[in-house]
Structure formats: structure tokens, C-alpha cells
């Protein structure tokens, strides 16, 4: 953005000037990510109460160790906040905070020069840090969840990558009447290669 605002100044970053070496090295990484939840369906509790998962956010850390150029193992730890709409009314107290830890497999494929594709399939446990008992009669403390995602990555520098991604996540419902909930998660991340 600064290059656009001050066009007469030298470019602060020119991708073509960054020389990447050892590009065939295993793409192991560790980094941080943030995401935004997009609900996929509406849920009904009992006979009258309709609950719809609304938007929410997530933040966490992720890493993977690759055994070769394509396949690796790793996981992520994240904390999330999901808002709820009950009978068309959204209130600030109708939220849940979740802590998740997942492990699984990763796949990476170079596309063009600095661009690469990455996919993952993870499974783990989700724990509810808080549940509003005035809204949910039979709360659960947590349960097993799973995640499948795809990412498009850009190698900005030798050891620095940026990724955008789309995940499909299944996580436990906070109430016993519903076993699981699902959502799409839009993510962005910054990673260090090693």
C-alpha cells in the first residue's frame, strides 16, 4: 500500500528481487492464523427454540513437519468465539468460547514459482470454555471434532509464507440434543518455513 501512496519512492518490496534457494526442500512450517466462521444450517432445540449459529472468529497456531515434498503430519491449536441467534434475536450473551486441538495429515503441491497448494485433514477435541446455561438447558463440555481444508500459499521470502484458505469444520454442539454443528471457516495465515 505504501508503494501506491508514494509512487516516486523506491519499491519497498519487489518479489522478483527475492531469490529462493532450496525450493525442493520439504515445506515444513509453523505459523499463526485467524479466521471467520460462516454457518451452514439452522438447528432446532426441543420443539420451539430455533438456534442458528451466526458469525464468529477464530485465532490459533498451526504447524506441520513434512516427510518429503508432498506429505506431512501436523496440527493446530485455536480459540474461537461463536455467536448464536435464538428465535431471530441475537444477544451478546448468546456466545460460546471454544478451545480446540487437532492433529492430522497435510499435503503440499507447488503450482507456479512462488505459489503452492496445500490440503489438510485433522481430527481432535473441542472444549467449551463457557456456555450460557440460561439459554442451553443441557450443556456439554465438549467433544470430538474434525476439519478438512485447502489453502493457496505464496512464498514471500525464503522463510516466510502467506496463505489464504477455506476449511470445513465439524465441531460438537453445546447441547445434548444436537450431536454436531458444522461451518465454513475463511482463514488467513503467516508462516515460517524451516
Amino acid at each position: 500500500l505504501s508503494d501506491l501512496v508514494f509512487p516516486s519512492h523506491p519499491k519497498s518490496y519487489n518479489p522478483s528481487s527475492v531469490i529462493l534457494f532450496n525450493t525442493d526442500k520439504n515445506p515444513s512450517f509453523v505459523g499463526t492464523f485467524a479466521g471467520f466462521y460462516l454457518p451452514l444450517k439452522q438447528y432446532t432445540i426441543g420443539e420451539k427454540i430455533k438456534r442458528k449459529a451466526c458469525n464468529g472468529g477464530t485465532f490459533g497456531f498451526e504447524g506441520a513437519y513434512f516427510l518429503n515434498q508432498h506429505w506431512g503430519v501436523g496440527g493446530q491449536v485455536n480459540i474461537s468465539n461463536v455467536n448464536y441467534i435464538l428465535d431471530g434475536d441475537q444477544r451478546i450473551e448468546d456466545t460460546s468460547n471454544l478451545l480446540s486441538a487437532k492433529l492430522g495429515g497435510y499435503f503440499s503441491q507447488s503450482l507456479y514459482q512462488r505459489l503452492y497448494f496445500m490440503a489438510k485433514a485433522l481430527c481432535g477435541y473441542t472444549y467449551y470454555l463457557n456456555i450460557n446455561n440460561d439459554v442451553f438447558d443441557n450443556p456439554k463440555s465438549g467433544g470430538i471434532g474434525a476439519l478438512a481444508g485447502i489453502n493457496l500459499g505464496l512464498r514471500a521470502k525464503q522463510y516466510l509464507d502467506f496463505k489464504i484458505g477455506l476449511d470445513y469444520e465439524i465441531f460438537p454442539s453445546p447441547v445434548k440434543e444436537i450431536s454436531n454443528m458444522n461451518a465454513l471457516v475463511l482463514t488467513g495465515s503467516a508462516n515460517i518455513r524451516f
Side-chain angles (χ1 to χ4, degrees), residues 162-179:
F162 294 103
K163 292 188 297 185
I164 56 172
L166 179 65
D167 299 337
Y168 173 74
E169 184 171 2
I170 299 173
F171 53 96
S173 166
V175 292
K176 297 179 180 179
E177 291 89 345
I178 303 170
S179 58

Side-chain angles (χ1 to χ4, degrees), residues 107 117-122 147-151 165-169:
F107 172 80
F117 168 83
M118 187 170 287
K120 60 188 174 184
L122 309 176
L147 179 149
I150 55 174
N151 295 94
L166 179 65
D167 299 337
Y168 173 74
E169 184 171 2

Side-chain angles (χ1 to χ4, degrees), residues 8-23:
S8 61
H9 288 255
K11 295 290 186 182
S12 59
Y13 173 68
N14 186 354
S16 62
S17 67
V18 179
I19 299 175
L20 300 179
F21 55 90
N22 292 334
T23 55

Side-chain angles (χ1 to χ4, degrees), residues 76-80 98-102 125-127 169 171:
Q76 67 180 40
V77 176
N78 62 295
I79 186 167
S80 308
L98 302 79
L99 180 63
S100 300
K102 299 181 180 71
Y125 190 82
T126 297
Y127 174 74
E169 184 171 2
F171 53 96

Side-chain angles (χ1 to χ4, degrees), residues 99-146:
L99 180 63
S100 300
K102 299 181 180 71
L103 298 173
Y106 286 74
F107 172 80
S108 180
Q109 174 63 53
S110 295
L111 297 178
Y112 176 75
Q113 294 182 345
R114 301 172 182 276
L115 293 177
Y116 64 93
F117 168 83
M118 187 170 287
K120 60 188 174 184
L122 309 176
C123 184
Y125 190 82
T126 297
Y127 174 74
Y128 280 93
L129 299 174
N130 74 308
I131 297 176
N132 188 340
N133 289 324
D134 294 334
V135 176
F136 305 123
D137 294 330
N138 298 307
K140 295 190 299 186
S141 61
I144 301 298

